[in-house]
């Protein structure tokens, strides 16, 4: 498949769009949205760093995945006054540290000093929205296989 991103700067590290992140206040609201639009669940997870449960939908045939983020505590519980909404676009990259260096060379800042563990199969960092026309951009590097048998609590034990 042809790479549609520029072979310079950040673009040379992007493999594809990974997902669109949507914050919703409850699991029930995420499941209702999925049912309404016929989205199929791919897998679930929990991110300790942001204390949020996640549901990823399937992607393929030109369809990007959606990540539903259900915050349990912290700043994301107040996203859009607690109503939720589109939070970010995420790109799968070949080397998150190399991309981070490119971003810093551009004079941009990342949300975290170092990439954070996402679900057990990915590490992540974010480009601050003030550098990306108000859009939070997540960078993802896959570091392991997806655990399709995981539940919200099985990945990290008790929350």
């Amino acid at each position: 498949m042809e790479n549609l991103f520029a072979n310079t700067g950040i673009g040379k590290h992007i493999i594809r769009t990974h997902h669109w992140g949507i914050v919703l206040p409850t699991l029930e609201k995420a499941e209702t949205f999925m049912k309404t639009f016929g989205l199929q669940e791919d897998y679930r997870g929990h991110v300790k760093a942001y204390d949020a449960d996640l549901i990823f939908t399937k992607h393929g045939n030109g369809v990007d995945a959606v990540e539903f983020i259900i915050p349990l505590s912290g700043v994301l519980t107040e996203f859009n006054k607690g109503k939720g909404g589109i939070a970010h676009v995420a790109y799968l990259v070949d080397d998150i540290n190399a991309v981070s260096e490119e971003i810093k060379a551009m004079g941009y800042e990342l949300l975290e000093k170092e990439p954070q563990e996402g679900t057990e199969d990915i590490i992540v960092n974010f480009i601050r929205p003030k550098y990306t026309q108000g859009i939070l951009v997540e960078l993802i590097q896959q570091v392991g296989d997806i655990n399709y048998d995981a539940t919200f609590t099985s990945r990290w034990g008790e929350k």
Side-chain angles (χ1 to χ4, degrees), residues 47-100:
V47 177
K48 286 194 307 187
Y50 302 109
D51 194 22
D53 289 336
L54 309 176
I55 301 174
F56 280 94
T57 64
K58 293 184 177 185
H59 72 280
N61 296 324
V63 176
D64 290 337
V66 174
E67 171 195 35
F68 292 101
I69 305 156
I70 302 101
L72 304 175
S73 67
V75 68
L76 287 177
T77 61
E78 297 302 317
F79 187 87
N80 193 20
K81 298 181 181 175
K83 294 181 277 188
I86 296 175
H88 63 263
V89 59
Y91 291 108
L92 183 64
V93 299
D94 59 1
D95 183 338
I96 200 164
N97 291 316
V99 175
S100 296

Side-chain angles (χ1 to χ4, degrees), residues 135-154:
I135 299 166
L136 183 62
V137 175
E138 181 178 18
L139 305 168
I140 293 177
Q141 180 179 335
Q142 189 160 348
V143 294
D145 294 330
I146 296 170
N147 180 355
Y148 288 100
D149 296 324
T151 62
F152 290 143
T153 57
S154 72

Side-chain angles (χ1 to χ4, degrees), residues 2-70:
E2 177 186 2
N3 187 344
L4 301 177
F5 296 94
N7 196 21
T8 60
I10 297 169
K12 68 184 173 191
H13 297 286
I14 296 176
I15 298 169
R16 65 172 168 82
T17 303
H18 189 272
H19 68 266
W20 295 85
I22 299 175
V23 175
L24 287 173
T26 67
L27 174 62
E28 294 75 26
K29 289 185 181 285
E31 289 172 339
T32 298
F33 188 98
M34 290 173 61
K35 184 177 179 182
T36 299
F37 291 96
L39 298 172
Q40 296 178 28
E41 182 176 317
D42 193 12
Y43 67 99
R44 293 180 182 216
H46 180 81
V47 177
K48 286 194 307 187
Y50 302 109
D51 194 22
D53 289 336
L54 309 176
I55 301 174
F56 280 94
T57 64
K58 293 184 177 185
H59 72 280
N61 296 324
V63 176
D64 290 337
V66 174
E67 171 195 35
F68 292 101
I69 305 156
I70 302 101

